[in-house]
Amino acid sequence: MTFPWLTTLIAVPALGAVLTALVPSGRSRLAKQVAIAFSVLTLGLAIAVIAQFDIGGDRYQLTEQNEWIEALGIYWALGVDGIGVALVALTAVATPIVALAMWPEAEESKRDPKAYFALLLAAEALTLTAFVAKDLLLFYIVFEAMLIPLYFMIGMYGGAQRRYAALKFLLYNLFGGLVMLAAVIGVYVESADAGTASFLLADLMALDIPVETQRWLFLGFMLAFAIKAPLWPFHTWLPDAAAEATPSNAAFLSGVADKVGTFGMIALAVPLFPEAAEEFAPFIVALAVISIVYGALLAIGQTDMKRLIGYTSISHFGFIVLGIFALTDRGVTGSTFYMINHGLSTIALFVIVGFMISRRQSRLIADYGGIQKPAPKLAGVFLFAGLSGLALPPLATFLSEFLVIAGTFEQYRAPAVIATVGIVLAALYILWLYQRTMTGPVGAENAETRDLGLRETVIVAPLLALILALGVFPRTVVDVIDEGVGPSLAEVDVQAPPPLVTVTDQAAEGDDQ
Amino acid sequence: MTLTNVVTLGLAAQAEASQEVQEASGLISTTWLLIALPLVGAAVLLLGGRRLDRTGHLIGCAAVIASFVWAVVLFVDMLGQDGHERAFTVALWEWFNAGGYEVRLDLLIDQLSIAFVLLITGVGSLIHIYSIGYMEHDERRRRFFGYLNLFVASMLLLVLAADYLVMFIGWEGVGLASYLLIGFWQHKPSAAVAAKKAFVVNRVGDMGMVLAIASMLVVFGSSSFQIVFAGADGAQTGWLNAIGLLLLLAACGKSAQFPLQSWLLDAMEGPTPVSALIHAATMVTAGVYLVVRSAAIYDLAPEARTAVILVGTITLLMGAIIGCAKDDIKKALAGSTMSQIGYMMLAAGLGPAGYAFAIFHLITHGFFKANMFLGAGSVMHGMNDEVDMRRFGALRAAMPATFLTFAVGYLAIIGIPPFAGFFSKDRIIEAAFGDNVLIGLCALIGAGVTAFYMTRVMLLTFFTNKRWADDAHPHESPRVMTWPLWALGFLSVAGGLGLLYIGGGIVDWLEPVTGEEHHDLPVPVAVLIALTMLVVVLGAALAWFMYQRRPVPAEAPAGNPVTVAARNDLYGDAFNEAVLMRPGQYLTRSLVYVENRGVDGAVIGAATAVGGLSARWRRWQTGFVRSYALTMLAGAGLVVVAMLLVRVP
Amino acid sequence: MNPTPYIVLATILFSLGSAGVLLRRNALIAFMSVELMLNAANLAFVTFARMHGNIDGQIVAFFVMVIAAAEVVVGLAIIVMIFRTRRSASVDDASLLKL
């Protein structure tokens, strides 16, 4: 038997969470070191997994399958496709960075810091499981279980309104999750009717579910995913959570954990219920376009930096969902790539805003101004992260945003045109934020702002370097993602029309029309 | 409808002008160095930190000058090739391939791009050198040069790209550099606001670019120049018009053409070398480059071409009128830039008859406008950064070098033979008359207005009475600043003649890319030239009577309604504010309200309702065990009764 | 076999038990009354098992006994604790479990 790479990938952060929790209280430094060591170890394992991924190989690779509850057809089944491997990479890269950024936050809260780190590792393990699960029930369990560590992280370590925000986060997601549970059982019943009852995704995708049933099941799944990857009008938990959670917690939440929602759309909702997905696609595209414009307009209207970034995420998630439900190769590839890039960019933004908050102890934009004078490096990285947020080429976010718009334009002209309004609004909210916080005359209370320190540079530099590198050399990543997108869309009967004009290379071949 | 036209590369008739694009080999394959040099310079300067503060400006200049030298080497190499074999692609690496859409990071170097490369690196080098002196006392000079290098690298990528999406990288890169440089003095709120405005307005244009490329994907399945241009013949006119109009929107944003012109005047908040390089000589002309480069599309899209002509004509008049009323020397020059780019756009819209002249005027304009902006910078340098021309006057004696070079630029822009502007502008007016008499008349009037406002600038600054501020001690700028002025002055004199007549001249040089076409003029050329000269002299004379004959007040008089409108940029900003900004703010504010009260309110409302209900039902829990027991008994009784009732029938 | 007398007896026992729970305040008495109700149910179970000729009912009766025993252990402990702290075994006195 081959080495169970994916199980190990999940087990390491889980073990890390337990060990971090077992560190005697009072030795918080040790707890942090253990947590960071384990997150780095996970990153190493993730790199090993990525290195073994073979472009052009099987759809699912590194598969493992063990019976879990045999009588019910439940398996411990893991495997990665191109989409999964990209998101595993994002999670594994993001966690050590977030853990480093959490370092001072843990001290500031009056609670035991070790629990904070243990919860982060637990959330990482669960998120990774969601990206590699090849059994629907396993996916569902971790999809719901993820809420537990995140709930405690928001509720224990956040700002003044943290309990409200945490409860709202939990209730929204639980509600979606419960509706999804009904749909999960529905799928299971379908598979039992078809012969063998099984939760294995491979078995479920082979099912031929009648369209009327598909509709209901699809809506059940989509509700959960639309709440998780907040889509208008199910989004209002995110700004609260983003504003009240600590900056690095908010970074993990919207940068990594929420990607499970959009991942679920690509990996579950569309391939399991292709006909229903086609049917509902125009409605979801409409919601996505509303999200893009609405999120951006609300971001412009915010006075609180973290809330502002929360709303920008809603706008960006709108782009991701738009690309997915354009149901074209380019759109879905762009969306998946967008998930990675949005993760990196949002984490960078939240973390840098966290640096600012740690200096000034305020989330309000109005309390800042002229920071670039005393802290030019801080302003520089903030602008860089902001530019990645507004999708400036050649940063990676641009490519994904462009692919989403282009992929949508093939299917839906008007929504694509409206979505481009989002790129103007993005420039407005980012640059206006930069203008209000970083430029202008510097007030007395900001005159002594400390510039970027060593630890902070170590946190931000890899993020920004990755955003740039992925934009300039995106080829391998896009190839890997493309590899996973094709099969996911195979069941969907939507084909982008071929180009109206085909330009061939051979001389004198074929006549017009 | 699945009509798929198949067009074969190579056989495709690319308008009248077609030349095979070859794989680069030998010297030409090092084209990437042109971009790499300033890019490395920018990276070193921006990441290098304070230890480079003392040498940073030299690194910045060296990078651009090296790039210029290399461009000259490549140009000479190209001169050695046959006239129709001067287009090469330089393959770098495959950028990405998503769902069958493949984009390669290729460079295209041909007659058009090398002309731009020489302009950008040549004028860029001079402005870099000038900036050493201009920014000498600025503590962030290293960063300034880093941004300038970043700009040059982006601009070179813009003109060398062989794919619209790759070009878009350069397109946004220059936008970013422009943003950073307009807002270079970030401590000034006005600079920060102007920078943001420039970026946001440009983004509106970018919408056009993004949608144009998306349309190309639908029509051609690719955004590479080669495939798009070859396929244009087989595409429907409707699509080509759409793409042409979308590209025009992009061009309007970048080139400050109507209706996206409003950012350019505010952009004068940046340091003057920035205004010269980015907002006069190079970046703002990128829109003209875009139109000329997309000749294959515009040639087949008559409506889009008409739109280009209209936009150009409107802007050339608007810019000229605004330039007449501005007292800020940089804003007057900025209005003039708008107007001159309007000329270029107009020429580009005329199709093969005008493409070459658009580029010709673009290059000569690059010389004389950079010259005048640097001259204005030199004046400001000597006058404690004063920009109000009503505070200048009689400076010719105090700064002779600046005066002489500025005067050369002045003669060039108003089109006095044999200065550069005469040749280029006159050709555009001729071509405009060849197309449509009305358009030609507009261009002619524009020439007269140009003569008026430039004479006004000239008189108010260097002639008329002294109106200096009390603490002003005007002095000539250091040699590092005047030397580039002389160089540009020389180009303003000789550039026109040289470009037109040395070798085959620029028109022949560009012919393989742009094609060539002549329209019959309604009147003989000589008459037209004479007419133009007459209008120019009239404009200049009017300015002479208004400003030289009587003393100029140091405070601006109230002025007539036209002047007031021109001072307010013909109410472009007022329009934007009333139609976009205020409703936008209102929309944002009301959406925040809707979000909190409506969307979130519905959820919170539901939660409150549930909470209220349970508060009521909670009363049932009395805490008395025996009452619970009674309830249970009653419940059990009910169940029994229910079961009996159901069973009976 | 005629089940009626057994069922009548079970009904009487159950009624006595429920009356005891409802009417008596002393926790111990209430507790014994609960046991009485459980045993009434047991009696009914055994009767029906006999009647139908299988042992399902008897199995349930065993479960009930086990639960009753467990209940006594926990319940008596609680009652004793309440009595110790409050010096009263009245169920009406312990009415704090509400909001």
Side-chain angles (χ1 to χ4, degrees):
Chain A
M1 193 185 129
T2 52
F3 185 72
W5 282 103
L6 295 178
T7 304
T8 319
L9 180 71
I10 297 164
V12 166
L15 180 69
V18 173
L19 286 182
T20 312
L22 288 181
V23 170
S25 21
R27 304 197 52 189
S28 55
R29 198 178 166 77
L30 179 66
K32 288 174 192 170
Q33 285 161 345
V34 170
I36 288 175
F38 269 91
S39 65
V40 172
L41 189 60
T42 313
L43 175 60
L45 274 169
I47 292 172
V49 166
I50 298 161
Q52 290 177 66
F53 190 83
D54 171 25
I55 302 176
D58 294 340
R59 180 179 177 192
Y60 292 115
Q61 301 184 15
L62 299 171
T63 49
E64 296 167 31
Q65 185 168 328
N66 297 302
E67 273 151 11
W68 185 11
I69 305 175
E70 197 184 353
L72 297 176
I74 303 171
Y75 296 82
W76 176 260
L78 308 177
V80 283
D81 60 352
I83 300 171
V85 87
L87 289 163
V88 164
L90 169 70
T91 314
V93 168
T95 311
I97 291 172
V98 170
L100 256 183
M102 279 177 161
W103 199 290
E105 285 169 6
E107 299 295 328
E108 280 167 24
S109 77
K110 292 180 190 73
R111 291 168 189 276
D112 191 359
K114 74 180 182 191
Y116 196 29
F117 289 89
L119 289 168
L120 174 71
L121 285 176
E124 182 189 19
L126 292 167
T127 312
L128 284 172
T129 317
F131 291 142
V132 300
K134 287 291 151 281
D135 181 285
L136 184 58
L137 196 75
L138 177 61
F139 176 87
Y140 178 75
I141 289 170
V142 291
F143 184 77
E144 291 291 74
M146 264 169 64
L147 302 178
I148 302 166
L150 291 170
Y151 169 75
F152 283 111
M153 284 167 81
I154 302 171
M156 285 168 66
Y157 297 91
Q161 299 279 310
R162 58 183 182 269
R163 293 216 174 79
Y164 169 77
L167 190 64
K168 199 170 178 183
F169 160 77
L170 188 70
L171 288 181
Y172 258 88
N173 283 287
L174 269 184
F175 176 69
L178 285 178
V179 176
M180 184 180 164
L181 178 61
V184 168
I185 294 170
V187 179
Y188 180 70
V189 169
E190 284 290 327
S191 95
D193 282 353
T196 46
S198 161
F199 276 110
L200 268 186
L201 283 182
D203 294 346
L204 297 179
M205 286 186 193
L207 289 179
D208 199 15
I209 308 174
V211 180
E212 306 84 65
T213 323
Q214 274 195 26
R215 277 184 207 134
W216 290 107
L217 299 180
F218 175 79
L219 286 182
F221 275 62
M222 268 312 287
L223 182 68
F225 297 147
I227 290 175
K228 191 90 176 179
L231 191 65
W232 188 88
F234 310 110
H235 63 275
T236 55
W237 65 268
L238 181 69
D240 283 317
E244 295 303 330
T246 57
S248 28
N249 184 7
F252 187 81
L253 182 66
S254 58
V256 180
D258 284 355
K259 298 296 183 295
V260 177
T262 39
F263 171 77
M265 292 180 201
I266 299 181
L268 297 177
V270 172
L272 281 177
F273 318 111
E275 281 96 2
E278 265 170 65
E279 249 183 57
F280 285 109
F283 298 99
I284 297 171
V285 163
L287 288 185
V289 170
I290 294 175
S291 285
I292 292 172
V293 176
Y294 186 87
L297 283 173
L298 276 162
I300 294 170
Q302 296 307 310
T303 51
D304 171 329
M305 291 192 289
K306 277 159 74 192
R307 267 189 104 78
L308 190 154
I309 300 171
Y311 277 109
T312 70
S313 282
I314 290 168
S315 182
H316 288 142
F317 272 114
F319 272 109
I320 297 175
V321 175
L322 180 67
I324 294 172
F325 281 93
L327 295 174
T328 57
D329 250 348
R330 279 166 215 165
V332 179
T333 303
S335 284
T336 312
F337 195 33
Y338 208 132
M339 287 190 224
I340 315 287
N341 302 330
H342 171 253
L344 297 173
S345 152
T346 302
I347 291 173
L349 273 174
F350 268 123
V351 164
I352 294 168
V353 164
F355 297 162
M356 290 162 67
I357 294 173
S358 72
R359 285 158 170 72
R360 183 76 171 78
Q361 305 301 333
S362 165
R363 308 195 308 238
L364 294 182
I365 298 170
D367 284 341
Y368 296 85
I371 303 283
Q372 62 84 28
K373 184 97 179 137
K377 281 187 211 155
L378 181 64
V381 292
F382 185 59
L383 184 62
F384 193 112
L387 292 173
S388 78
L390 62 79
L392 186 91
L395 303 180
T397 38
F398 159 71
L399 197 54
S400 40
E401 194 161 299
F402 175 75
L403 283 174
V404 165
I405 291 175
T408 310
F409 192 76
E410 291 176 81
Q411 290 290 340
Y412 305 99
R413 307 266 192 264
V417 173
I418 301 171
T420 52
V421 174
I423 69 174
V424 179
L425 296 177
L428 205 55
Y429 60 66
I430 291 288
L431 296 183
W432 199 30
L433 173 65
Y434 181 81
Q435 180 201 322
R436 285 180 291 174
T437 52
M438 294 299 181
T439 70
V442 52
E445 65 280 9
N446 288 319
E448 297 297 317
T449 308
R450 206 162 30 84
D451 206 353
L452 218 56
L454 179 64
R455 184 186 60 86
E456 293 167 333
T457 314
V458 171
I459 293 169
V460 172
L463 283 173
L464 302 187
L466 262 177
I467 292 171
L468 182 62
L470 277 182
V472 180
F473 304 104
R475 193 182 153 196
T476 320
V477 180
V478 173
D479 280 353
V480 168
I481 291 170
D482 221 21
E483 198 72 19
V485 167
S488 287
L489 286 181
E491 293 288 313
V492 187
D493 193 25
V494 177
Q495 287 300 317
L500 301 171
V501 180
T502 312
V503 179
T504 58
D505 232 338
Q506 285 91 38
E509 186 210 39
D511 251 350
D512 281 13
Q513 292 148 24
Chain B
M1 191 195 67
T2 52
L3 281 183
T4 301
N5 292 350
V6 179
V7 177
T8 308
L9 261 188
L11 290 187
Q14 189 188 323
E16 302 89 89
S18 80
Q19 63 176 342
E20 284 267 4
V21 179
Q22 322 163 28
E23 290 286 326
S25 60
L27 211 50
I28 292 285
S29 57
T30 57
T31 304
W32 58 273
L33 259 180
L34 296 175
I35 303 171
L37 285 166
L39 193 62
V40 169
V44 167
L45 289 174
L46 293 178
L47 299 176
R50 296 196 176 281
R51 71 192 83 106
L52 290 178
D53 272 356
R54 294 181 53 198
T55 52
H57 53 283
L58 298 178
I59 298 174
C61 288
V64 178
I65 293 171
S67 187
F68 174 64
V69 169
W70 201 248
V72 171
V73 170
L74 293 183
F75 176 64
V76 171
D77 189 56
M78 274 171 91
L79 281 176
Q81 315 275 346
D82 186 65
H84 278 260
E85 286 171 7
R86 284 172 179 158
F88 304 92
T89 53
V90 182
L92 297 184
W93 65 84
E94 193 189 67
W95 196 16
F96 66 90
N97 183 345
Y101 172 41
E102 189 189 12
V103 177
R104 309 183 55 83
L105 265 173
D106 286 357
L107 303 181
L108 167 69
I109 180 158
D110 64 359
Q111 295 90 333
L112 179 60
S113 38
I114 194 76
F116 265 86
V117 168
L118 287 170
L119 174 74
I120 295 160
T121 52
V123 174
S125 298
L126 292 173
I127 291 174
H128 270 70
I129 294 168
Y130 176 92
S131 303
I132 296 177
Y134 192 83
M135 300 300 284
E136 193 176 359
H137 304 294
D138 197 302
E139 55 175 354
R140 293 159 74 230
R141 181 166 67 166
R142 168 180 61 86
R143 193 181 287 232
F144 181 79
F145 275 89
Y147 292 159
L148 275 188
N149 273 359
L150 177 68
F151 168 77
V152 171
S154 307
M155 190 72 202
L156 289 173
L157 179 62
L158 197 167
V159 298
L160 285 171
D163 187 299
Y164 279 99
L165 200 66
V166 179
M167 177 171 151
F168 195 50
I169 301 179
W171 189 264
E172 289 288 88
V174 293
L176 170 66
S178 158
Y179 168 79
L180 292 170
L181 286 165
I182 295 172
F184 186 71
W185 289 315
Q186 295 184 338
H187 51 90
K188 284 181 11 193
S190 57
V193 170
K196 182 191 67 187
K197 182 176 177 186
F199 198 98
V200 171
V201 175
N202 265 294
R203 275 254 144 169
V204 177
D206 293 346
M207 283 174 62
M209 191 75 157
V210 167
L211 288 172
I213 301 176
S215 308
M216 287 173 197
L217 291 191
V218 171
V219 182
F220 307 106
S222 168
S223 57
S224 94
F225 288 165
Q226 206 176 4
I227 293 178
V228 171
F229 297 161
D233 252 356
Q236 292 156 330
T237 316
W239 272 112
L240 291 176
N241 271 325
I243 294 174
L245 288 173
L246 288 168
L247 288 176
L248 174 64
L249 179 63
C252 284
K254 197 58 77 193
S255 292
Q257 298 294 291
F258 176 81
L260 300 179
Q261 80 288 358
S262 64
W263 63 271
L264 184 63
L265 290 155
D266 292 7
M268 296 300 126
E269 286 288 342
T272 309
V274 172
S275 312
L277 178 60
I278 301 185
H279 304 122
T282 55
M283 183 189 86
V284 284
T285 58
V288 180
Y289 170 78
L290 180 67
V291 174
V292 174
R293 179 54 88 188
S294 311
I297 293 170
Y298 282 102
D299 285 347
L300 299 166
E303 281 80 12
R305 246 169 65 183
T306 312
V308 176
I309 295 180
L310 280 178
V311 164
T313 313
I314 293 173
T315 316
L316 90 85
L317 292 174
M318 265 185 88
I321 292 170
I322 291 172
C324 291
K326 289 289 178 186
D327 288 333
D328 178 329
I329 184 167
K330 286 180 72 181
K331 293 207 168 170
L333 288 175
S336 152
T337 304
M338 255 173 78
S339 166
Q340 298 301 314
I341 297 172
Y343 273 107
M344 298 169 208
M345 274 293 192
L346 162 60
L350 296 173
Y355 291 137
F357 300 129
I359 300 299
F360 182 28
H361 192 55
L362 193 158
I363 293 173
T364 56
H365 173 256
F367 296 153
F368 60 68
K369 190 52 73 59
N371 176 14
M372 281 193 287
F373 260 113
L374 294 187
S378 177
V379 171
M380 287 160 58
H381 195 72
M383 296 286 285
N384 296 339
D385 288 329
E386 179 64 72
V387 289
D388 188 352
M389 290 189 290
R390 293 191 182 273
R391 296 275 164 196
F392 296 161
L395 287 172
R396 64 183 180 281
M399 351 184 130
T402 306
F403 165 65
L404 277 175
T405 52
F406 197 95
V408 170
Y410 159 74
L411 293 172
I413 194 175
I414 65 172
I416 301 290
F419 296 92
F422 164 73
F423 299 99
S424 52
K425 196 192 282 179
D426 211 58
R427 290 297 188 288
I428 292 177
I429 295 173
E430 279 168 30
F433 269 108
D435 188 71
N436 182 316
V437 177
L438 194 65
I439 300 289
L441 276 178
C442 287
L444 190 63
I445 293 169
V449 183
T450 306
F452 172 80
Y453 68 75
M454 283 317 302
T455 312
R456 175 173 173 270
V457 169
M458 193 71 199
L459 292 176
L460 286 181
T461 307
F462 294 103
F463 295 89
T464 61
N465 49 326
K466 282 185 197 172
R467 301 174 301 275
W468 306 345
D470 298 336
D471 56 346
H473 305 287
H475 54 87
E476 186 56 274
S477 300
R479 215 170 301 161
V480 71
M481 287 168 70
T482 51
W483 189 82
L485 287 176
W486 286 115
L488 284 168
F490 169 73
L491 288 170
S492 308
V493 180
L497 264 176
L499 281 172
L500 203 53
Y501 295 113
I502 293 179
I506 188 164
V507 178
D508 274 4
W509 173 257
L510 289 175
E511 187 270 332
V513 183
T514 59
E516 210 177 342
E517 197 178 286
H518 282 292
H519 290 290
D520 293 327
L521 290 180
V523 287
V525 175
V527 175
L528 203 56
I529 292 177
L531 199 62
T532 313
M533 290 313 302
L534 181 69
V535 171
V536 166
V537 171
L538 276 178
L542 183 64
W544 173 269
F545 281 114
M546 280 180 69
Y547 296 99
Q548 188 64 26
R549 292 287 299 277
R550 49 184 180 218
V552 179
E555 298 303 326
N560 56 32
V562 181
T563 316
V564 174
R567 276 188 198 140
N568 290 310
D569 307 346
L570 297 180
Y571 301 114
D573 277 340
F575 178 83
N576 288 345
E577 198 176 308
V579 175
L580 297 173
M581 207 175 95
R582 282 186 196 289
Q585 282 173 342
Y586 180 74
L587 179 68
T588 310
R589 259 195 303 254
S590 45
L591 270 185
V592 171
Y593 185 81
V594 167
E595 165 86 354
N596 294 340
R597 295 296 155 87
V599 184
D600 204 27
V603 178
I604 300 294
T608 320
V610 171
L613 221 57
S614 36
R616 238 154 249 263
W617 286 353
R618 198 166 64 186
R619 304 247 166 88
W620 291 61
Q621 309 291 319
T622 54
F624 292 110
V625 176
R626 293 187 302 148
S627 67
Y628 295 163
L630 186 60
T631 321
M632 273 169 69
L633 191 69
L638 269 178
V639 171
V640 170
V641 169
M643 284 170 75
L644 287 175
L645 284 179
V646 173
R647 235 178 61 180
V648 168
Chain C
M1 186 196 121
N2 180 13
T4 318
Y6 301 95
I7 294 173
V8 170
L9 179 59
T11 315
I12 292 170
L13 282 175
F14 190 86
S15 306
L16 280 176
S18 51
V21 170
L22 288 177
L23 299 177
R24 299 300 297 260
R25 285 195 194 106
N26 188 302
L28 275 173
I29 305 279
F31 206 70
M32 283 157 66
S33 304
V34 170
E35 294 297 316
L36 210 53
M37 287 158 74
L38 287 173
N39 280 322
N42 271 352
L43 184 58
F45 272 122
V46 174
T47 307
F48 290 128
R50 178 74 189 218
M51 201 178 103
H52 291 295
N54 61 21
I55 57 166
D56 288 0
Q58 301 193 14
I59 293 172
V60 177
F62 271 107
F63 271 103
V64 174
M65 279 185 222
V66 172
I67 294 198
E71 195 193 318
V72 167
V73 171
V74 179
L76 270 182
I78 294 174
I79 291 169
V80 170
M81 287 304 292
I82 290 177
F83 184 74
R84 274 195 193 157
T85 48
R86 296 176 167 262
R87 290 279 137 205
S88 144
S90 165
V91 289
D92 285 0
D93 286 351
S95 65
L96 288 175
L97 210 62
K98 61 172 182 190
L99 274 167

